[in-house]
Amino acid sequence: MGRVPCPRGFLAALRFLTIAPIDRGTVSPEDLSAGLPYFPVVGLLLGLALAALDALLGLVLPPFPASALVVAAMVLLTGGLHLDGLADACDGLFGGHTPERRREIMRDTARGTYAMAGIMLVLLVKWAALASLGGAVRPWAIIAAPLLGRWTQVLALTAFPYARAEGLGVAFKGGATAGRAVAAGFIAFGAAGLLLRAPGLWLAGVVTFAAWLLARWASARLGGGLTGDVYGALSEVAEALALTVAVAMAGTALVQVMVW
């Protein structure tokens, strides 16, 4: 029997967002655009891998070190792509006095104080939130965090203009149609609902609204638009927020019963 063909858009999304051992050849702008609806799917796959790792680590390690290793795996499985965007975005958004200067700083490969502080804070929040999660909510929250993180990228691409005339983000922006955004949103909210039931929909809603507010603020800081670095930063912040909100929700008996 022949192999079932895999959509090129999905392969492009998987190749771009992860270190999966697949063909790393040239990806066309059309493939990148076609891959947008699959961003949450890739996030879901990342979450499943992380949840499996967490289950194995939980057999031999207490929550604190196990959570630290899961957070490290989050970075490794994506090649640090979004963490790099977070660093550049923090330097630019907080370090410049004009939109032009902020965009210029974000192009600079050197790391400043804001970059280091942003990375440390986001990783610390992820670790602290994950270490605080337990019971039935923990594996589902681990899966939901990267799922929602990738969805926020599609949301920002669709809802806001691109701030540069060139760059990789141009290829994504050109294909960020409303239809693809709706498809990605349907996957993200649908999967969150299946994972955590009604609390999952609330979680997806809170993360989506917070990401939109953050993207709107960043767009204003950059003169009316976003960049690829901001997309990566949104994903990292959304993951941290998803885990933090999951901790708050897990503290209620109702959520424990509904998820279980």
Side-chain angles (χ1 to χ4, degrees):
M1 296 179 62
R3 293 183 299 175
V4 176
C6 193
R8 293 185 64 184
F10 171 71
L11 291 177
L14 189 65
R15 184 185 298 120
F16 181 73
L17 296 172
T18 74
I19 58 169
I22 57 178
D23 179 21
R24 315 299 297 186
T26 302
V27 180
S28 70
E30 292 76 17
D31 289 340
L32 288 174
S33 297
L36 290 177
Y38 297 101
F39 272 39
V41 178
V42 174
L44 180 63
L45 294 177
L46 285 169
L48 289 169
L50 292 169
L53 173 64
D54 182 65
L56 293 175
L57 292 172
L59 299 176
V60 294
L61 292 174
F64 276 33
S67 298
L69 291 176
V70 171
V71 172
M74 284 182 173
V75 178
L76 294 175
L77 289 176
T78 60
L81 174 66
H82 309 313
L83 208 59
D84 183 69
L86 173 68
D88 289 336
C90 286
D91 269 344
L93 292 173
F94 293 104
H97 297 290
T98 65
E100 294 75 17
R101 178 56 182 158
R102 291 172 191 132
R103 293 195 297 268
E104 181 182 346
I105 291 174
M106 290 169 67
R107 284 186 178 278
D108 193 344
T109 57
R111 294 287 181 261
T113 303
Y114 288 119
M116 301 307 297
I119 290 175
M120 292 176 61
L121 181 60
V122 166
L123 292 179
L124 179 61
V125 170
K126 285 184 181 182
W127 170 75
L130 189 54
S132 301
L133 276 171
V137 176
R138 181 180 175 93
W140 308 127
I142 291 175
I143 297 172
L147 163 75
L148 296 176
R150 302 316 173 279
W151 149 240
T152 61
Q153 295 187 34
V154 183
L155 172 69
L157 271 162
T158 308
F160 297 89
Y162 192 65
R164 304 187 192 279
E166 73 287 334
L168 184 59
V170 174
F172 282 116
K173 182 60 182 175
T177 63
R180 285 169 173 166
V182 169
F186 181 81
I187 293 170
F189 275 78
L194 289 174
L195 291 171
L196 291 162
R197 303 185 184 178
L201 297 177
W202 280 102
L203 177 63
V206 169
V207 172
T208 298
F209 182 62
W212 181 81
L213 287 178
L214 181 57
R216 183 179 180 183
W217 171 80
S219 178
R221 296 282 289 176
L222 295 175
L226 303 177
T227 68
D229 291 325
V230 177
Y231 302 146
L234 282 173
S235 185
E236 290 290 334
V237 173
E239 285 184 353
L241 178 61
L243 292 173
T244 303
V245 174
V247 172
M249 295 173 65
T252 65
L254 178 61
V255 170
Q256 290 283 357
V257 171
M258 293 180 72
V259 173
W260 184 260

